[in-house]
Amino acid sequence: MRVLLLGAGGYLGRFVADRLLADPAVQLTALGRGDDADVRFDLSTGSPGALTRFLDAVHPGVVINCAGAIRGTASELARHNTVATATLCESLRRSGCRARLVQIGCAAEYGPSQHGSSIAEDAVARPGGPYGVSKLAATELVLGSGLDAIVLRVFSPTGPGTPAGSPLGRLADSLRRALQHGDGELRLGGLNVQRDFVDVRDVARAVHAATLSAAQGVVNIGTGHAVRLREAANALARISGFTGTLHEVEGMPGPRHSPEAGGHPAPVPQVSAYPDGCGAWQQADVRTARDRLGWRARISLEESLADIWMEAACRL
C-alpha cells in the first residue's frame, strides 16, 4: 500500500510515520516543508495543480494529512489548517489516483461542553477560538469534498514528544528546574481544567487503523475518560521525585516579587488553562472508534507522564 504522509515532521506526524514504517505492507512517502521530508512542498502556499501532478506520479492509495498549525494569528491558522486542506482536497479531486484521505482533526472543533458529558460525533460543533474554527472549516471541506475520507478528531494528545508549550510540557520543565535549583514550591494555575488525554502512540495506531478501514465521516480519538489537570500534575510530580509543594493559585498569577531579589519580579512556574476554547471540561465518546475502527486507547496516562518526564529529565 502506497501511503503519502503530510506533516511527518510534526508532533503527531512523527509517530504516525514510525507506526507506518513498522508495517512491511506500507510504502511511505513523506511530503512537507522540512529538510527531512522525501519531497519538499508547503501545503499552505503550494498550488493544487502542482500537488495533483505529484499525486498522479506517486499514485498513493492513502493520503494522511497531519499538517497544520496550533498557534498563530487567526489568518495564519486559517492558512495552515483551512486553506491547506482545501488545496489537498482539490488536488485529490483532480488526481486520477482515487486515494483515501485520512484527515487529522481535533476536539477543539467541538468547543465547550457540559460538565460530565461525553461528546459524540453528532454533537453540534461550536468552537470557542480561532484554532477550533480553522480546524472545523477543514473538516467541513473534507466531508463535503466527495472523497473517500475520514476525519479523526483527536482529543488531548500527550506522551513522548509533548510540546514544551503545552500545560504538561511546561509543568515537566518547571519540575526539572525546581529539582535543579532545589526549589521546594511550585505555584501553578489553571489546574481545574479536565481533559481527555490520549497517548500520541495510540493516536498513531488509530491513524493506521483508519488507513485500513472503509469507515467515513468523523471519528473521535480519545480514552473516554476526562482527567483533572491537577491530578496529572500530582502524578507527574510523584514520577519526577519532586517532594516539594504544588501550590495552586486562583486564575493566572502575575510575576512574584522576591525580597531577596530586591523586589524585582521573579518568574512563577505555572500551568495555564488549555487555550483551546473548550472550557473546563472535555471528554470523548469513543464508541465509534471501537465499532468502526476496532480501536481503543491502550496506554495509560501514568505511562504517558513517565515518558514526558524522562525527556524533561534528560535536560537536567
Side-chain angles (χ1 to χ4, degrees), residues 258-278:
S258 169
E260 293 80 4
H264 295 292
V268 179
Q270 55 194 19
V271 176
S272 66
Y274 276 76
D276 53 12
C278 295

Side-chain angles (χ1 to χ4, degrees), residues 113-114 116-120 123 220 224-225 281-287:
S113 58
Q114 184 178 358
S117 65
S118 293
I119 308 172
N220 288 340
H225 301 285
W281 170 273
Q282 201 172 57
Q283 177 175 283
D285 182 328
V286 293
R287 289 175 293 180

Side-chain angles (χ1 to χ4, degrees), residues 69-83 130-132 134:
I70 60 174
R71 293 179 181 83
T73 65
S75 61
E76 289 169 340
L77 291 169
R79 184 173 72 254
H80 288 287
N81 295 331
T82 311
V83 174
Y131 172 62
S134 69

Side-chain angles (χ1 to χ4, degrees), residues 155-157 194-198 222-227 282-284 286:
F155 277 63
S156 297
Q194 291 173 267
R195 288 292 182 267
D196 190 331
F197 296 105
V198 57
T223 65
H225 301 285
V227 175
Q282 201 172 57
Q283 177 175 283
V286 293

Side-chain angles (χ1 to χ4, degrees), residues 6 11 26 35 88 151 156 182 185 194 243 249 254 274 296-297 306 312:
L6 296 94
Y11 173 41
V26 171
D35 294 334
L88 177 58
V151 178
S156 297
E185 179 188 51
Q194 291 173 267
T243 57
V249 296
Y274 276 76
R296 68 179 63 199

Side-chain angles (χ1 to χ4, degrees), residues 1-7 12 16 20 43 60-67 85 88-89 92 98-105 135 138-139 142-143 145 147-154 203-219 221 293:
M1 180 173 62
R2 290 189 177 93
V3 177
L4 177 64
L5 174 61
L6 296 94
L12 294 180
V16 171
L20 294 174
L43 194 60
V62 178
V63 174
I64 303 170
N65 185 20
C66 292
T85 301
L88 177 58
C89 289
L92 285 167
R98 300 293 182 265
R100 172 171 171 79
L101 173 59
V102 179
Q103 170 79 6
I104 306 303
K135 291 295 287 185
T139 291
V142 170
L143 298 181
S145 66
L147 299 168
D148 173 13
I150 184 171
V151 178
L152 303 182
R153 273 193 180 143
V154 178
V203 175
R205 284 180 42 248
V207 174
H208 190 196
T211 67
L212 304 172
S213 168
Q216 296 183 337
V218 175
V219 178
I221 302 299
L293 299 182

